[in-house]
Amino acid sequence: MIHITVTAKKAVNPEQDGLGRPYVGYEEGMTQDEMYAANHGEWAIGARAQKERYALFAFGRTVIQAVEIDNLERTTIYSGDPNEKRDDRYTINGQVLQKGHPVYDKYVGKASPVSVARNPVRYFEDPEFDGERGQLCACGCGETTTGGEFLPGHDQKAIHERIARIGTVAEFLKWMDVVRPASLGR
Ligand SMILES: [Zn+2]
């Protein structure tokens, strides 16, 4: 699972925020929808997150929200300074879980399951609920498939990229016949 620690509620400039938010963070009394709107976005999360199914959000040392992840959306943010393009941020899109969902009931309102750390984004294992949404596309693009080894078209893209490393298709065939002559079979 992904575990994200949010800040206390603070104002941000909606024009500089990739989600156009007026504020981020948490304060007591917020509804689940308000928490999601304020905090589901623009996190520096890596390839590992692509296969996670659930995200927990915590404030202080208490879990305040659980989300079942639909997808991670890459957002490119411009701060106004062209040198300050930040393109490694992701927004977690998903379903806000409610009381009665086993993940909500296990974590929300309870003590955070991870230790204190400087990085707000953490990962932890929960064998009861972990499980892959798909798998990383075998082409290396970093996206998650919905089943199978490749996203649609990515197998073709990967093959053609390798042919191009050798040269033309004709050059590739000549090269291939040298490294793996047909007479030897597989
Ligand atoms: Zn791919």
Side-chain angles (χ1 to χ4, degrees), residues 145-160:
T145 71
T146 50
E149 292 179 297
F150 291 96
L151 282 169
H154 286 210
D155 48 350
Q156 289 300 314
K157 191 185 79 176
I159 285 172
H160 285 289

Side-chain angles (χ1 to χ4, degrees), residues 137 139 141 154:
C137 178
C139 91
C141 65
H154 286 210

Side-chain angles (χ1 to χ4, degrees), residues 10 18 28 42 64 91 94 97 110 116 146 156 171:
K10 62 180 180 189
E28 215 177 316
E42 312 217 284
I64 56 169
T91 292
L97 300 180
K110 313 259 169 64
V116 180
T146 50
Q156 289 300 314
E171 285 166 337

